[in-house]
């Protein structure tokens, strides 16, 4: 979207500047197109932060690293991850004086995604308009667009809910169409690189007990707000030094609204306990599941 700067009044101008200003009827003003932003290379764009509604921005108070400057430029630095529903890119948002790295998750259209189990995850969710629900059920072109947007909205809302509940997830910066910008979780030892996945940790890693405590607390916080991750595995958990962060949240399951909710929660427990046990830290999935059920009461 191009940005337009209003030309000041003719009285404030002189010489050649005044010649470019012509007052119109009803006090309308002619815009001087020479003030439009300079065209950027394909891998860059002007920050979309000023153009999204407040409801499409992250929870307040905004972290200090958030850049709200309308003159900021987003530069795409490469791809971080490809997934079933979309791809994640590394993005730098920068002004002349500061910059921040962000993760940009861009959802693909439903016809290009691989959500073979999406109906099971999304049970209990529904579009507000019955027309949208019918279109999704009929798998029409419009229905595929609605379905894709539903997954975007789901992840955005779950990220905000989890952040408010203290669940360790990336801070959700903004959502714009089918793109979600979120905090980039970096490797503390290499700030330009993404934090490794839990699956990359070796057996008997010294951090395993600490990471287990954080994961158990995160799952409990999710259960307290009535959610299960739904697809929890060592591949969608990042390890930033000694800090654990959950990612890939669009398939979160409503434990009350989804009849299979507890089955998903139990599967999460089995998956994660099996992995920790394989790394030398024995954990009982049934004990974890019972503990999480108790936290829901």
């Amino acid at each position: 979207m191009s940005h337009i700067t209003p030309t000041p009044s003719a009285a404030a101008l002189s010489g050649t500047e005044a010649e470019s200003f012509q007052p119109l009827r009803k006090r309308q003003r002619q815009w001087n197109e020479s003030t439009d932003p300079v065209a950027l290379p394909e891998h860059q764009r002007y920050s979309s932060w000023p153009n999204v509604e407040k409801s499409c921005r992250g929870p307040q108070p905004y972290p200090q690293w958030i850049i709200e400057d309308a003159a900021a430029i987003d530069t795409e630095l490469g791809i971080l991850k490809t997934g079933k529903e979309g791809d994640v890119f590394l993005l730098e948002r920068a002004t002349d004086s500061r910059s921040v790295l962000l993760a940009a998750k861009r959802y693909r259209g439903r016809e290009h995604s691989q959500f073979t189990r999406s109906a099971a995850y999304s049970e209990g969710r529904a579009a507000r308009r019955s027309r949208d629900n019918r279109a999704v059920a009929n798998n029409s072109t419009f229905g595929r667009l609605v379905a894709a947007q539903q997954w975007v909205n789901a992840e955005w809302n779950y990220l905000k809910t989890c952040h408010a509940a203290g669940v360790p997830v990336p801070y959700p910066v903004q959502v714009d169409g089918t793109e979600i910008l979120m905090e980039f979780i970096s490797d503390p030892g290499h700030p330009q690189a993404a934090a490794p996945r839990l699956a990359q940790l070796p057996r008997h890693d010294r951090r395993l007990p600490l990471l287990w405590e954080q994961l158990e607390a995160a799952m409990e916080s999710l259960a307290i707000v009535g959610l299960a991750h739904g697809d929890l595995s060592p591949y969608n958990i990042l390890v930033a030094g000694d800090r654990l962060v959950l990612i890939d949240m669009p398939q979160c399951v409503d434990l009350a609204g989804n009849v299979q909710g507890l089955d998903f929660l139990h599967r999460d427990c089995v998956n994660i306990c099996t992995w920790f046990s394989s790394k030398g830290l024995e954990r009982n999935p049934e004990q974890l599941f019972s503990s999480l059920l108790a936290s829901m009461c």
Side-chain angles (χ1 to χ4, degrees), residues 11-219:
L13 302 176
S14 61
T16 57
E17 291 180 326
E19 293 177 2
S20 67
F21 178 83
Q22 296 293 332
L24 304 177
R25 294 180 181 179
K26 297 183 181 180
R27 297 185 179 181
Q28 293 178 342
R29 292 178 176 178
Q30 180 177 348
W31 305 111
N32 185 345
E33 294 186 0
S34 66
T35 61
D36 282 354
V38 177
L40 296 174
E42 185 177 350
H43 67 290
Q44 290 186 321
R45 69 188 185 191
Y46 287 96
S47 170
S48 53
W49 176 274
N51 302 321
V52 298
E53 299 178 359
K54 289 185 178 180
S55 61
C56 295
R57 297 174 183 170
Q60 295 193 44
Y62 300 136
Q64 292 184 349
W65 50 263
I66 290 287
I67 294 179
E68 303 180 57
D69 195 325
I73 292 177
D74 293 346
T75 301
E76 191 171 301
L77 301 179
I79 193 165
L80 292 171
K81 176 197 171 188
T82 59
K84 298 187 295 292
E85 71 281 357
D87 302 319
V88 183
F89 296 82
L90 181 61
L91 204 73
E92 180 190 47
R93 175 163 289 177
T95 65
D96 290 338
S97 59
R98 54 193 293 248
S99 67
V100 64
L101 292 177
L102 302 172
K105 185 169 186 177
R106 297 168 186 165
Y107 278 77
R108 293 189 289 270
R110 181 65 173 267
E111 66 274 15
H112 300 300
S113 67
Q114 303 171 31
F115 267 122
T116 56
R117 294 177 295 173
S118 61
Y121 286 112
S122 60
E123 185 175 341
R125 307 179 198 168
R128 294 182 179 180
R129 298 187 301 177
S130 58
R131 172 174 175 261
D132 291 349
N133 288 325
R134 290 195 301 271
V136 172
N138 294 332
N139 199 34
S140 66
T141 300
F142 174 71
R144 289 193 293 270
L145 292 174
V146 171
Q149 193 62 54
Q150 284 178 341
W151 284 102
V152 177
N153 295 341
E155 179 152 30
W156 174 250
N157 289 323
Y158 286 137
L159 282 171
K160 291 194 297 181
T161 297
C162 290
H163 181 269
V167 180
V169 296
Y171 175 82
V173 176
Q174 68 176 70
V175 60
D176 187 12
T178 54
E179 178 188 76
I180 297 176
L181 291 186
M182 63 189 83
E183 175 187 4
F184 172 61
I185 308 300
S186 65
D187 182 344
H190 304 87
Q192 300 292 320
R197 300 175 188 276
L198 180 64
Q200 296 173 245
L201 266 61
R203 183 177 173 82
H204 298 301
D205 189 290
R206 64 168 183 79
R207 294 170 292 177
L208 286 175
L210 174 63
L211 294 174
W212 170 260
E213 292 178 6
Q214 293 179 50
L215 180 55
E216 189 175 24
M219 295 179 72

Side-chain angles (χ1 to χ4, degrees), residues 264-279:
F264 280 112
L265 179 62
H266 185 266
R267 189 181 69 180
D268 284 351
C269 293
V270 171
N271 287 346
I272 210 63
C273 287
T274 299
W275 185 86
F276 272 90
S277 295
S278 73
K279 296 298 180 179

